[in-house]
Amino acid sequence: MGRTTQTYILHPDLASAGETHRVAGAQLEEAVGLAEAIALDIVRAEIVRVPSVRPATLFGSGKVETLGLDIAADGPDVVIVNGDLSPVQHRNLERAWKVKVLDRTALILEIFGDRAQTREGRLQVDLAHLTYQKSRLVRSWTHLERQRGGAGFLGGPGETQIESDRRALANKIDRLKKQLEEVRRTRGLQRASRKRVPYPVIALVGYTNAGKSTLFNRLTQSDVMAKDMLFATLDPTMRAIDLPSGAKAILSDTVGFISNLPTQLVAAFRATLEEVAEADVILHVRDIAHEETEAQKQDVMAVLAELGIADDAARKVIEVANKIDCLDKDDRAALSVSARASGWTAEGTFEAPHRAATSAATGEGVEALRTLIDTVITEGHLIAHARVAAADGAIEAWLHAHGDVLNETAEGDARLFTVRLSPENFGRFKKRFADAVVDVTTSQDASMASGEDRKHAAGYRPL
C-alpha cells in the first residue's frame, strides 16, 4: 500500500448472517482499525444492508450501481469489503467499479505482510498469501482458453495458462511448507530444551488490541512494541519472568486473534501458535471495557478450538480482565470483587478459569496477577528437605537450577536445604541424589507457608 491510499470501507450487513453476536457498527469500526493499522486514508466507511447475497456481486445490482457512482465521483484507490468475497464476486466488483477491491482476508494479509519481521513470520505470511492467491484462480481469469503448445509430436494442445499458474503456486506453497516444517522442528527442539531446564511456559492469548503486549512488558520489564493498534504484535516474543516465590517462568506473547480470522492464517501460523498448545498456563487477556468483549471471547475460543487447543488437566487457564482503568467506578469495583471471588477457587479451565482484573497501562492489579500465576504454577509442588555435605557443590547447584530454594542453614559440616520442586523434578532429584533427601511434604501441607499468605496478600481469599 502506498503513502496515503484513499480508501472506501464497506461493511456488508447480511440479513441472514448467523453471527448474530456481532454488532454491525462495531464490525465496521474494527475494519476501520484494520485499515488504519497500515496507514490507509479512510475517505468513507459505511454499513451496507444486504437483504440477500447475490452470488455474482454480493450486493444487489442497484446497490452496486449506486456505490459505483459514488466511487467514480470520489475516486478512491481501493475499496475494502469487510467480508469474504468469492473469486467471482471479487472479479465482478472490480470490473463494475473499475477500482482495486480487497476483502477482509486480503486486508488482514496486507497487514501481516507489512508487519512480519522475523524470517519465520515472513514465511508464514508468504504461505498465507499464496494459499489465498491460489483460491483466486478459480474462474477468475479472462484467458482460460489460451493454451501453450505441447512438446513433441504427441504432446497435445498443452496446458492452459491457469493450469500453469496453479502448478507454479502449488510448487511455491510446497517449498514454503517444507521451510515452515523446519521452523516447527526447531521450535520443538527449543521446547524440549526448555523442558530440560525446565521452566514452565505461560502463553498470552487474546483478541487483537486487548493489551497483551502492554501486559507482557509489565510482567517482564521489557519494551516489546505495544500500541493501541490492531495486530501490533505478529512475531512471537519470549522472555523470562521472576515470580514472587523465586520461581522462574517463560512468558510468550503471541499474535492477537480476530473474528473471522482467515483460515489461511490459522494454518500458516500453526507453528507459532504451537507455543500455546504446549504452554503450562494460558493467560487469556480480554479488553473488558470493549462493548463486544463477550463476542471477542467467543472468537478467541473458536480459534483455539480450531487449533485443537482444548481443556487439559495439566494446563491451567487464567482469564485476565484488562483495561479496567477504562471502566466506571462501580463496574470496576464489581469486577475486582468478582475476580477475587473466583480468582483461585475456580477449576482453571477455559470454561471455569482463574480470574484476575488488571490495567496493564497503569499497572493496577499486575502484581496480584503475578502472584496468582505463581500460585497456579506451584500448585502441587513438593517441599523437600535435603542435607548436603558442605563440599558437595553439585547437589547445591542442581537444587538452585531446578527448584526454588526457600531456606538454607548450616548444620555441622553439612547444609540443610528446604526447596520447592515440581513432582517431576523431585523424582529426578530422588533418583540422582537419594541419600540427600531427608523428607518431603506437599506444598499445601507445608501451607507453602508463604503460599497461603501470598494468595491472601494478593486478594485471592475466597469470599
Side-chain angles (χ1 to χ4, degrees), residues 410-422:
E411 186 183 82
D413 60 351
R415 299 188 69 75
L416 293 179
F417 286 87
T418 301
V419 59
R420 181 170 47 244
L421 294 164
S422 69

Side-chain angles (χ1 to χ4, degrees), residues 183-264:
V183 170
R184 186 175 286 111
R185 204 171 0 256
T186 300
R187 282 195 173 278
L189 292 173
Q190 290 171 343
R191 281 194 295 271
S193 66
R194 284 199 300 271
K195 285 179 179 177
R196 284 195 298 271
V197 172
Y199 293 144
V201 174
I202 306 159
L204 287 167
V205 302
Y207 206 82
T208 184
N209 207 31
K212 295 185 302 300
S213 294
T214 304
L215 183 60
F216 181 89
N217 288 339
R218 282 278 181 187
L219 289 170
T220 63
Q221 285 81 52
S222 301
D223 57 356
V224 169
M225 185 179 82
K227 293 184 178 179
D228 184 15
M229 176 190 294
L230 298 178
F231 293 122
T233 301
L234 287 187
D235 294 306
T237 308
M238 306 187 82
R239 297 282 189 280
I241 63 170
D242 294 314
L243 299 171
S245 66
K248 290 185 182 294
I250 295 172
L251 188 64
S252 174
D253 192 12
T254 61
V255 62
F257 300 158
I258 197 167
S259 64
N260 300 321
L261 185 69
T263 54
Q264 294 95 336

Side-chain angles (χ1 to χ4, degrees), residues 314-389:
R315 176 177 55 231
K316 295 299 182 182
V317 179
I318 300 175
E319 186 175 281
V320 183
N322 193 33
K323 302 192 181 183
I324 59 173
D325 55 305
C326 298
L327 299 175
D328 63 40
K329 185 178 179 181
D330 291 340
D331 288 345
R332 193 169 174 172
L335 182 64
S336 296
V337 169
S338 173
R340 285 198 300 272
S342 60
W344 173 247
T345 57
E347 295 175 20
T349 63
F350 285 116
E351 289 298 319
H354 300 303
R355 287 191 169 91
T358 67
S359 167
T362 67
E364 181 180 353
V366 172
E367 288 311 306
L369 170 62
R370 190 191 299 273
T371 301
L372 177 58
I373 293 170
D374 193 7
T375 308
V376 167
I377 283 176
T378 57
E379 181 190 14
H381 282 205
L382 304 172
I383 302 297
H385 303 278
R387 180 179 286 105
V388 180

Side-chain angles (χ1 to χ4, degrees), residues 445-461:
D445 291 342
S447 188
M448 258 166 113
S450 58
E452 287 298 323
D453 295 340
R454 288 202 317 274
K455 278 190 278 183
H456 298 333
Y460 291 107
R461 186 193 307 274

Side-chain angles (χ1 to χ4, degrees), residues 50-96:
V50 182
S52 61
V53 174
R54 301 298 175 88
T57 54
L58 178 63
F59 307 106
S61 56
K63 196 55 162 178
V64 171
E65 185 177 347
T66 302
L67 289 169
L69 292 174
D70 293 338
I71 290 167
D74 294 337
D77 301 300
V78 64
V79 174
I80 294 170
V81 178
N82 188 38
D84 291 327
L85 293 175
S86 71
V88 172
Q89 290 168 343
H90 197 167
R91 178 195 64 191
N92 289 340
L93 289 178
E94 286 195 334
R95 283 179 176 175

